[in-house]
Amino acid sequence: AGRPGSAGGDLLEAARREYRERWPDRQPPTALEAIVGELAAAEEVPADAPRDLGARRLEAVRGQLAARGIDPGRLRGSVRRVPLVEAAGTARVEFDLQP
């Protein structure tokens, strides 16, 4: 990661550009993770964003499983009303597969 021409290098350069646009008078950190962390901390996230993200993920997984021949009527899933697991660093979608 971070080599010119590599995917990591492209991501790092994009993050640096975004950082400089937001804070032109500050030097961006050298690590991609540090840049992303600062940018993320500065973003205001709407209160319903985690629920909306969960609903989109649920529908994406449901669509992929249905495309593989699983009857969508058997797929029961819902988005929690509590903060998503992502707050703890682990992303997941939960389903109850009915007989």
Side-chain angles (χ1 to χ4, degrees):
R3 288 176 292 153
S6 70
D10 294 342
L11 291 174
L12 180 58
E13 190 51 43
R16 285 179 179 152
R17 276 193 307 273
E18 182 68 27
Y19 191 97
R20 285 186 204 109
E21 285 178 25
R22 182 173 296 252
W23 300 294
D25 57 333
R26 290 171 42 184
Q27 181 69 24
T30 56
L32 176 61
E33 294 80 13
I35 295 172
V36 170
E38 287 190 34
L39 289 169
E43 285 296 316
E44 290 194 26
V45 179
D48 58 351
R51 182 162 170 70
D52 290 346
L53 175 61
R56 289 194 313 270
R57 283 182 174 172
L58 184 67
E59 286 308 310
V61 171
R62 184 177 280 133
Q64 287 295 312
L65 292 173
R68 288 180 171 79
I70 306 239
D71 175 14
R74 294 180 60 206
L75 301 174
R76 307 254 190 254
S78 64
V79 178
R80 299 177 191 193
R81 295 184 194 276
V82 297
L84 297 176
V85 178
E86 283 80 2
T90 306
R92 71 176 183 232
V93 174
E94 296 178 6
F95 280 98
D96 255 342
L97 187 56
Q98 304 297 313

